[in-house]
Amino acid sequence: MKNKQLHRGMETMMNFDFTPEQEMLRQTVRKFVDKEIMPYIKEWDERGEFDRNIFKRLAELNLMGVCIPEEYGGMGMDYNSLAIVCEELERGDTAFRTAVSVHTGLNSLTLLQWGTEEQKQKYLVPQARGEKIGAFGLTEPNAGSDVASIQTTAVRDGDDYILNGQKTWISLADIADHFLVFAYTDKSKKHRGISAFIVERTMPGFSSRPIKGKLGIRSGNTGELFFDNVRVPKENLLGEEGEGFKIAMSALDNGRFTVAAGAVGLIMACLEASVKYCHERKTFGKEIGRHQLVQQMIARMEAGLQISRLLVYKVGFLKNEGRRCTRETSLAKWIACDYANQAADDAVQIHGAYGYSNEYPVERYLRNSKAPVIYEGTREIHTIMQAEYVLGYRQDKPLRKTLPAWRPAEN
Ligand SMILES: Cc1cc2nc3c(=O)[nH]c(=O)nc-3n(C[C@H](O)[C@H](O)[C@H](O)COP(=O)(O)OP(=O)(O)OC[C@H]3O[C@@H](n4cnc5c(N)ncnc54)[C@H](O)[C@@H]3O)c2cc1C
């Protein structure tokens, strides 16, 4: 009932309050992060791995499908609830938010938007329940920002497609069970010849390999995928042949929203650590928080936090309403990730030499803050997108399938 009131309210006015359910969700994730991530993250980051039981725990808390409708195995909460989960997880470490970004943002929500009923039952339901993990394979060794340069191919053979090629920099490459994979079914049509497929790890010819030596997100798995004559049934074509580029871009609308929300969480973590240190450390006879140039860095973090939050929750609001918001999502992702990167840099600066060692968490924040400025559209790509929208060179047209608006459960 409260949810219904909230939804009616949102149609008539802006509402900046969280619902009791959203507040409870935030507390749940915060407690989980404080108890099950914070005490171990330094060691996981050093070792470059984490305890995979974390995914089981996330699933037990229903966090792997928080905004997926209940009929498809999720919690049926609104899109801003997904933002809250991402904020709180990234307060712990970027690796866990990245996992939710690819599993829910890039994969599950794409199945919800574009999948047939059979695909949703077979793949979305177990993913939303956290029984299976989903990932997203778009980037290739010679194609990142320039998606149309991918070389992976899918050739129709009877009732199957045969996939050949390679993907790189894929989050959860060695962990996920299901992958959304983008491949050319007709190279002559350029980006209109790309199609999207659901590929299972167990399909013969599929293999993966981890990428070592990363700057940040060290406790998260990132790797390469290889497709050697992988036979994928035609039922696993997502959308229609040639719709892959649109599907990939709409997936990014959801992924970028989660990345932006995570950046808010990273700024929170930077502020938490910096405020504590400002009160502890003294120079020239006073707490460093009393020095105006240190205050400038704290103020910049606070401004970044509040501005980014507003941009993120606006996107969540638009998604709840079922409105396409590629433009707003791109802006939120760009600005929030830049602020998070700046906040992490400031946090290290505030900690002086101690910030330069892993005695304090801020050096990890700085290393972690860089990838989100690169993945899901680099800073430069989002800058260009924003300029093009303003200049009238870019417009978003309606898609054949839209992400469903949030509808509160009837009770
Ligand atoms: C930790 C991590 C996890 C990732 N996870 C995934 C994943 O799960 N799935 C997936 O598919 N990919 C993933 N990626 C890949 C990521 O999406 C790409 O790295 C990203 O799209 C950029 O592509 P690129 O690295 O090839 O850079 P490039 O596209 O080669 O760009 C290189 C530089 O040139 C600039 N540039 C490129 N084109 C232009 C232009 N037109 N104008 C101005 N500047 C330009 C870029 O901004 C950048 O600074 C991940 C990456 C990282 C680091």
mmCIF file of all heavy atoms in Angstrom, residues 102 136-139 143-146 168-171 217 222 371 374-378 380-381 384, ligand 1:
data_model
loop_
_atom_site.group_PDB
_atom_site.id
_atom_site.type_symbol
_atom_site.label_atom_id
_atom_site.label_comp_id
_atom_site.label_asym_id
_atom_site.label_seq_id
_atom_site.Cartn_x
_atom_site.Cartn_y
_atom_site.Cartn_z
ATOM 1 N N VAL A 102 27.302 -6.285 -13.765
ATOM 2 C CA VAL A 102 27.259 -7.143 -14.954
ATOM 3 C C VAL A 102 26.143 -8.181 -14.836
ATOM 4 O O VAL A 102 25.431 -8.445 -15.808
ATOM 5 C CB VAL A 102 28.622 -7.811 -15.291
ATOM 6 C CG1 VAL A 102 29.664 -6.783 -15.618
ATOM 7 C CG2 VAL A 102 29.104 -8.724 -14.206
ATOM 8 N N PHE A 136 28.602 -10.370 -19.372
ATOM 9 C CA PHE A 136 28.328 -9.587 -20.582
ATOM 10 C C PHE A 136 29.603 -9.512 -21.428
ATOM 11 O O PHE A 136 30.602 -8.934 -20.985
ATOM 12 C CB PHE A 136 27.901 -8.189 -20.131
ATOM 13 C CG PHE A 136 27.509 -7.238 -21.208
ATOM 14 C CD1 PHE A 136 26.243 -7.284 -21.775
ATOM 15 C CD2 PHE A 136 28.389 -6.252 -21.642
ATOM 16 C CE1 PHE A 136 25.861 -6.361 -22.748
ATOM 17 C CE2 PHE A 136 28.018 -5.333 -22.613
ATOM 18 C CZ PHE A 136 26.738 -5.391 -23.163
ATOM 19 N N GLY A 137 29.559 -10.083 -22.605
ATOM 20 C CA GLY A 137 30.762 -10.138 -23.439
ATOM 21 C C GLY A 137 30.631 -9.322 -24.702
ATOM 22 O O GLY A 137 30.091 -9.800 -25.714
ATOM 23 N N LEU A 138 31.109 -8.086 -24.635
ATOM 24 C CA LEU A 138 31.066 -7.206 -25.805
ATOM 25 C C LEU A 138 32.485 -6.873 -26.272
ATOM 26 O O LEU A 138 32.830 -7.036 -27.447
ATOM 27 C CB LEU A 138 30.304 -5.911 -25.441
ATOM 28 C CG LEU A 138 30.151 -4.864 -26.533
ATOM 29 C CD1 LEU A 138 29.353 -5.408 -27.718
ATOM 30 C CD2 LEU A 138 29.443 -3.602 -25.989
ATOM 31 N N THR A 139 33.346 -6.441 -25.344
ATOM 32 C CA THR A 139 34.684 -5.941 -25.689
ATOM 33 C C THR A 139 35.578 -7.049 -26.259
ATOM 34 O O THR A 139 35.545 -8.188 -25.798
ATOM 35 C CB THR A 139 35.347 -5.342 -24.424
ATOM 36 O OG1 THR A 139 34.466 -4.350 -23.891
ATOM 37 C CG2 THR A 139 36.696 -4.723 -24.736
ATOM 38 N N ALA A 143 38.417 -4.044 -30.171
ATOM 39 C CA ALA A 143 37.148 -3.301 -30.195
ATOM 40 C C ALA A 143 36.630 -3.048 -28.793
ATOM 41 O O ALA A 143 36.143 -3.959 -28.119
ATOM 42 C CB ALA A 143 36.094 -4.076 -30.984
ATOM 43 N N GLY A 144 36.766 -1.787 -28.336
ATOM 44 C CA GLY A 144 36.200 -1.383 -27.048
ATOM 45 C C GLY A 144 35.137 -0.333 -27.309
ATOM 46 O O GLY A 144 33.972 -0.652 -27.555
ATOM 47 N N SER A 145 35.560 0.942 -27.333
ATOM 48 C CA SER A 145 34.604 2.020 -27.629
ATOM 49 C C SER A 145 33.975 1.824 -29.014
ATOM 50 O O SER A 145 32.796 2.114 -29.214
ATOM 51 C CB SER A 145 35.316 3.382 -27.604
ATOM 52 O OG SER A 145 36.094 3.531 -26.460
ATOM 53 N N ASP A 146 34.773 1.348 -29.929
ATOM 54 C CA ASP A 146 34.319 1.181 -31.317
ATOM 55 C C ASP A 146 33.720 -0.216 -31.484
ATOM 56 O O ASP A 146 34.339 -1.133 -32.042
ATOM 57 C CB ASP A 146 35.544 1.386 -32.236
ATOM 58 C CG ASP A 146 35.188 1.290 -33.700
ATOM 59 O OD1 ASP A 146 33.976 1.221 -34.021
ATOM 60 O OD2 ASP A 146 36.117 1.268 -34.527
ATOM 61 N N THR A 168 37.539 -9.873 -24.464
ATOM 62 C CA THR A 168 38.522 -9.588 -23.418
ATOM 63 C C THR A 168 37.991 -8.552 -22.441
ATOM 64 O O THR A 168 37.033 -7.850 -22.741
ATOM 65 C CB THR A 168 39.870 -9.143 -24.032
ATOM 66 O OG1 THR A 168 40.861 -9.152 -22.989
ATOM 67 C CG2 THR A 168 39.811 -7.750 -24.646
ATOM 68 N N TRP A 169 38.623 -8.465 -21.293
ATOM 69 C CA TRP A 169 38.204 -7.555 -20.220
ATOM 70 C C TRP A 169 36.767 -7.817 -19.802
ATOM 71 O O TRP A 169 35.992 -6.887 -19.602
ATOM 72 C CB TRP A 169 38.384 -6.082 -20.644
ATOM 73 C CG TRP A 169 39.814 -5.692 -20.665
ATOM 74 C CD1 TRP A 169 40.589 -5.508 -21.757
ATOM 75 C CD2 TRP A 169 40.663 -5.478 -19.530
ATOM 76 N NE1 TRP A 169 41.882 -5.208 -21.369
ATOM 77 C CE2 TRP A 169 41.949 -5.179 -20.000
ATOM 78 C CE3 TRP A 169 40.449 -5.517 -18.143
ATOM 79 C CZ2 TRP A 169 43.018 -4.918 -19.159
ATOM 80 C CZ3 TRP A 169 41.517 -5.259 -17.294
ATOM 81 C CH2 TRP A 169 42.788 -4.961 -17.812
ATOM 82 N N ILE A 170 36.425 -9.093 -19.658
ATOM 83 C CA ILE A 170 35.053 -9.451 -19.288
ATOM 84 C C ILE A 170 34.989 -9.741 -17.784
ATOM 85 O O ILE A 170 35.648 -10.663 -17.289
ATOM 86 C CB ILE A 170 34.560 -10.680 -20.104
ATOM 87 C CG1 ILE A 170 34.741 -10.421 -21.609
ATOM 88 C CG2 ILE A 170 33.113 -11.012 -19.746
ATOM 89 C CD1 ILE A 170 34.101 -9.147 -22.141
ATOM 90 N N SER A 171 34.187 -8.940 -17.089
ATOM 91 C CA SER A 171 34.009 -9.139 -15.644
ATOM 92 C C SER A 171 33.300 -10.472 -15.410
ATOM 93 O O SER A 171 32.356 -10.807 -16.130
ATOM 94 C CB SER A 171 33.178 -8.000 -15.054
ATOM 95 O OG SER A 171 33.760 -6.765 -15.379
ATOM 96 N N ILE A 217 40.351 -3.151 -8.667
ATOM 97 C CA ILE A 217 39.317 -4.205 -8.676
ATOM 98 C C ILE A 217 40.011 -5.573 -8.625
ATOM 99 O O ILE A 217 39.658 -6.501 -9.355
ATOM 100 C CB ILE A 217 38.353 -4.077 -9.870
ATOM 101 C CG1 ILE A 217 37.961 -2.613 -10.097
ATOM 102 C CG2 ILE A 217 37.097 -4.902 -9.635
ATOM 103 C CD1 ILE A 217 36.848 -2.412 -11.102
ATOM 104 N N THR A 222 38.255 -10.684 -13.714
ATOM 105 C CA THR A 222 38.144 -10.118 -15.062
ATOM 106 C C THR A 222 38.941 -11.037 -15.976
ATOM 107 O O THR A 222 40.034 -11.473 -15.591
ATOM 108 C CB THR A 222 38.774 -8.711 -15.127
ATOM 109 O OG1 THR A 222 38.433 -7.981 -13.947
ATOM 110 C CG2 THR A 222 38.301 -7.925 -16.341
ATOM 111 N N ALA A 371 38.942 2.192 -13.141
ATOM 112 C CA ALA A 371 38.246 1.372 -14.146
ATOM 113 C C ALA A 371 36.868 1.930 -14.513
ATOM 114 O O ALA A 371 36.531 1.977 -15.706
ATOM 115 C CB ALA A 371 38.136 -0.077 -13.676
ATOM 116 N N ILE A 374 36.728 4.137 -17.263
ATOM 117 C CA ILE A 374 37.059 3.523 -18.562
ATOM 118 C C ILE A 374 35.923 2.626 -19.053
ATOM 119 O O ILE A 374 35.540 2.687 -20.224
ATOM 120 C CB ILE A 374 38.368 2.694 -18.429
ATOM 121 C CG1 ILE A 374 39.554 3.610 -18.125
ATOM 122 C CG2 ILE A 374 38.623 1.881 -19.699
ATOM 123 C CD1 ILE A 374 40.841 2.881 -17.743
ATOM 124 N N TYR A 375 35.385 1.764 -18.138
ATOM 125 C CA TYR A 375 34.401 0.802 -18.672
ATOM 126 C C TYR A 375 33.000 1.397 -18.748
ATOM 127 O O TYR A 375 32.702 2.411 -18.167
ATOM 128 C CB TYR A 375 34.435 -0.534 -17.943
ATOM 129 C CG TYR A 375 34.161 -0.619 -16.455
ATOM 130 C CD1 TYR A 375 33.139 0.083 -15.836
ATOM 131 C CD2 TYR A 375 34.920 -1.494 -15.683
ATOM 132 C CE1 TYR A 375 32.877 -0.061 -14.491
ATOM 133 C CE2 TYR A 375 34.670 -1.648 -14.315
ATOM 134 C CZ TYR A 375 33.640 -0.923 -13.730
ATOM 135 O OH TYR A 375 33.386 -1.076 -12.399
ATOM 136 N N GLU A 376 32.190 0.717 -19.567
ATOM 137 C CA GLU A 376 30.810 1.140 -19.853
ATOM 138 C C GLU A 376 30.774 2.565 -20.413
ATOM 139 O O GLU A 376 29.956 3.394 -20.002
ATOM 140 C CB GLU A 376 29.923 0.972 -18.615
ATOM 141 C CG GLU A 376 29.964 -0.463 -18.110
ATOM 142 C CD GLU A 376 28.672 -0.955 -17.551
ATOM 143 O OE1 GLU A 376 27.628 -0.407 -17.898
ATOM 144 O OE2 GLU A 376 28.719 -1.926 -16.776
ATOM 145 N N GLY A 377 31.677 2.812 -21.343
ATOM 146 C CA GLY A 377 31.790 4.129 -21.969
ATOM 147 C C GLY A 377 32.832 4.947 -21.243
ATOM 148 O O GLY A 377 32.651 5.275 -20.059
ATOM 149 N N THR A 378 33.915 5.255 -21.937
ATOM 150 C CA THR A 378 34.982 6.030 -21.291
ATOM 151 C C THR A 378 34.496 7.459 -21.034
ATOM 152 O O THR A 378 33.484 7.899 -21.589
ATOM 153 C CB THR A 378 36.235 6.112 -22.197
ATOM 154 O OG1 THR A 378 35.870 6.824 -23.393
ATOM 155 C CG2 THR A 378 36.775 4.730 -22.567
ATOM 156 N N GLU A 380 35.675 10.024 -22.230
ATOM 157 C CA GLU A 380 35.663 10.762 -23.503
ATOM 158 C C GLU A 380 34.383 10.453 -24.291
ATOM 159 O O GLU A 380 33.768 11.354 -24.866
ATOM 160 C CB GLU A 380 36.904 10.407 -24.333
ATOM 161 C CG GLU A 380 38.224 10.896 -23.745
ATOM 162 C CD GLU A 380 38.657 10.161 -22.474
ATOM 163 O OE1 GLU A 380 38.360 8.956 -22.345
ATOM 164 O OE2 GLU A 380 39.273 10.800 -21.597
ATOM 165 N N ILE A 381 33.983 9.177 -24.300
ATOM 166 C CA ILE A 381 32.769 8.805 -25.044
ATOM 167 C C ILE A 381 31.547 9.513 -24.444
ATOM 168 O O ILE A 381 30.697 10.040 -25.171
ATOM 169 C CB ILE A 381 32.587 7.259 -25.035
ATOM 170 C CG1 ILE A 381 33.711 6.589 -25.853
ATOM 171 C CG2 ILE A 381 31.202 6.847 -25.535
ATOM 172 C CD1 ILE A 381 33.806 6.986 -27.325
ATOM 173 N N ILE A 384 31.521 13.189 -25.366
ATOM 174 C CA ILE A 384 31.055 13.376 -26.746
ATOM 175 C C ILE A 384 29.541 13.201 -26.832
ATOM 176 O O ILE A 384 28.836 13.990 -27.483
ATOM 177 C CB ILE A 384 31.771 12.368 -27.681
ATOM 178 C CG1 ILE A 384 33.251 12.735 -27.807
ATOM 179 C CG2 ILE A 384 31.110 12.305 -29.055
ATOM 180 C CD1 ILE A 384 34.101 11.636 -28.411
HETATM 181 C C1 LIG B 1 37.990 -3.776 -14.959
HETATM 182 C C2 LIG B 1 37.283 -3.784 -16.287
HETATM 183 C C3 LIG B 1 36.136 -4.561 -16.434
HETATM 184 C C4 LIG B 1 35.482 -4.615 -17.676
HETATM 185 N N1 LIG B 1 34.361 -5.407 -17.816
HETATM 186 C C5 LIG B 1 33.797 -5.547 -19.042
HETATM 187 C C6 LIG B 1 32.699 -6.468 -19.247
HETATM 188 O O1 LIG B 1 32.202 -7.109 -18.302
HETATM 189 N N2 LIG B 1 32.204 -6.636 -20.503
HETATM 190 C C7 LIG B 1 32.713 -5.958 -21.576
HETATM 191 O O2 LIG B 1 32.226 -6.172 -22.682
HETATM 192 N N3 LIG B 1 33.753 -5.077 -21.419
HETATM 193 C C8 LIG B 1 34.299 -4.862 -20.188
HETATM 194 N N4 LIG B 1 35.360 -3.991 -20.019
HETATM 195 C C9 LIG B 1 35.919 -3.323 -21.188
HETATM 196 C C10 LIG B 1 35.529 -1.848 -21.273
HETATM 197 O O3 LIG B 1 34.163 -1.708 -21.522
HETATM 198 C C11 LIG B 1 36.403 -1.193 -22.368
HETATM 199 O O4 LIG B 1 37.706 -1.177 -21.846
HETATM 200 C C12 LIG B 1 35.919 0.191 -22.744
HETATM 201 O O5 LIG B 1 34.757 0.121 -23.517
HETATM 202 C C13 LIG B 1 36.981 1.006 -23.515
HETATM 203 O O6 LIG B 1 37.462 0.279 -24.581
HETATM 204 P P1 LIG B 1 39.044 0.094 -24.794
HETATM 205 O O7 LIG B 1 39.638 -0.314 -23.502
HETATM 206 O O8 LIG B 1 39.224 -0.820 -25.961
HETATM 207 O O9 LIG B 1 39.571 1.536 -25.133
HETATM 208 P P2 LIG B 1 39.557 2.235 -26.575
HETATM 209 O O10 LIG B 1 38.191 2.217 -27.143
HETATM 210 O O11 LIG B 1 40.649 1.646 -27.402
HETATM 211 O O12 LIG B 1 39.954 3.727 -26.186
HETATM 212 C C14 LIG B 1 41.301 4.118 -25.887
HETATM 213 C C15 LIG B 1 41.292 5.622 -25.564
HETATM 214 O O13 LIG B 1 40.840 6.358 -26.714
HETATM 215 C C16 LIG B 1 39.716 7.153 -26.361
HETATM 216 N N5 LIG B 1 38.782 7.178 -27.488
HETATM 217 C C17 LIG B 1 38.287 6.127 -28.188
HETATM 218 N N6 LIG B 1 37.456 6.558 -29.136
HETATM 219 C C18 LIG B 1 37.384 7.906 -29.021
HETATM 220 C C19 LIG B 1 36.680 8.929 -29.700
HETATM 221 N N7 LIG B 1 35.818 8.657 -30.686
HETATM 222 N N8 LIG B 1 36.895 10.232 -29.328
HETATM 223 C C20 LIG B 1 37.722 10.523 -28.288
HETATM 224 N N9 LIG B 1 38.408 9.589 -27.596
HETATM 225 C C21 LIG B 1 38.246 8.306 -27.956
HETATM 226 C C22 LIG B 1 39.097 6.455 -25.161
HETATM 227 O O14 LIG B 1 38.281 7.335 -24.400
HETATM 228 C C23 LIG B 1 40.336 5.981 -24.422
HETATM 229 O O15 LIG B 1 40.854 7.046 -23.674
HETATM 230 C C24 LIG B 1 36.000 -3.875 -18.766
HETATM 231 C C25 LIG B 1 37.130 -3.070 -18.591
HETATM 232 C C26 LIG B 1 37.768 -3.008 -17.376
HETATM 233 C C27 LIG B 1 38.978 -2.139 -17.220
#
